[in-house]
Amino acid sequence: MSHDKADKAADARGGLFDSVAGKAKEVAGAVTGKDDLVEEGQLQQAEAQHRKAAVADEALADAKRHAAADELRETSHEAAAEKEAAHDEADLAQRAVNREQAQEREAAERVAAQQEAVDRRAAEQRAENLAESRLDDAQALSADAATTEQQAAADRARLEREAAAAEQHAAQLREQTRSQG
């Protein structure tokens, strides 16, 4: 990273030097009446301006790439936390369903022992219906967790594409700078 900063600083200094040298040539050519020296100085100043713009564009692209990477990391952390919370919530719901199922079965067995066989079957059916309802609730929570995970993956893919596009744009700018230089 510091090597990149050093290269950028060197490019900026080189651009400043070229700009000053170009202006000096332009002034010297104007004073001495040498039009070719004036033109050379103007070209050198234009080249320095292009280099300065390319360095600025590359710095902007780097900043965008870093911001996209930071956002990607943050989104990944948030998605992982949301996924973990959803799984924890589903686990809690499942344990509650399991506890309720056990309690309802015990109650149904006590009632069944005191009542006729028909009453016993009806109590057991009610317990099973409630258990299935709680299980459906737990499965719905699990489905919500999967949806959250898919959204996080889609966000991550989008951010990676944006980072790649920013990197490609920076590479194009560097190539334009090299081809103009």
Side-chain angles (χ1 to χ4, degrees):
M1 191 76 176
S2 62
H3 187 264
D4 290 342
K5 288 181 181 178
D7 287 347
K8 290 175 188 175
D11 285 346
R13 283 191 302 275
L16 178 62
F17 176 76
D18 286 347
S19 180
V20 170
K23 189 64 172 177
K25 286 179 185 179
E26 181 182 5
V27 170
V31 169
T32 61
K34 294 183 179 179
D35 291 337
D36 59 332
L37 191 56
V38 170
E39 187 176 318
E40 183 181 341
Q42 290 172 343
L43 287 173
Q44 194 169 359
Q45 289 178 73
E47 183 181 319
Q49 190 62 28
H50 286 296
R51 183 186 296 178
K52 180 180 176 183
V55 167
D57 288 345
E58 188 173 343
L60 179 60
D62 285 346
K64 285 182 179 180
R65 185 178 69 249
H66 290 298
D70 289 345
E71 185 177 343
L72 176 61
R73 275 191 297 277
E74 183 179 330
T75 300
S76 294
H77 290 331
E78 289 173 0
E82 288 175 9
K83 179 181 175 184
E84 185 176 341
H87 283 295
D88 290 347
E89 189 174 331
D91 288 344
L92 285 174
Q94 184 62 48
R95 284 195 296 271
V97 166
N98 292 343
R99 279 193 308 273
E100 287 182 28
Q101 284 177 334
Q103 291 169 354
E104 289 170 1
R105 282 188 190 119
E106 289 172 7
E109 289 172 3
R110 283 191 304 272
V111 170
Q114 298 171 359
Q115 297 179 355
E116 294 183 55
V118 174
D119 290 337
R120 181 174 12 119
R121 285 189 295 264
E124 289 173 350
Q125 185 61 45
R126 284 191 305 273
E128 288 298 323
N129 289 342
L130 181 57
E132 287 177 13
S133 172
R134 298 298 172 116
L135 184 57
D136 289 345
D137 291 345
Q139 288 172 344
L141 285 173
S142 180
D144 286 346
T147 301
T148 300
E149 185 175 357
Q150 289 171 349
Q151 180 61 41
D155 287 348
R156 179 183 185 126
R158 177 185 56 82
L159 290 171
E160 287 175 346
R161 287 191 304 271
E162 289 177 7
E167 184 64 37
Q168 185 178 14
H169 182 69
Q172 288 172 346
L173 291 173
R174 286 190 294 271
E175 185 59 34
Q176 286 176 356
T177 301
R178 286 187 202 113
S179 66
Q180 292 174 357

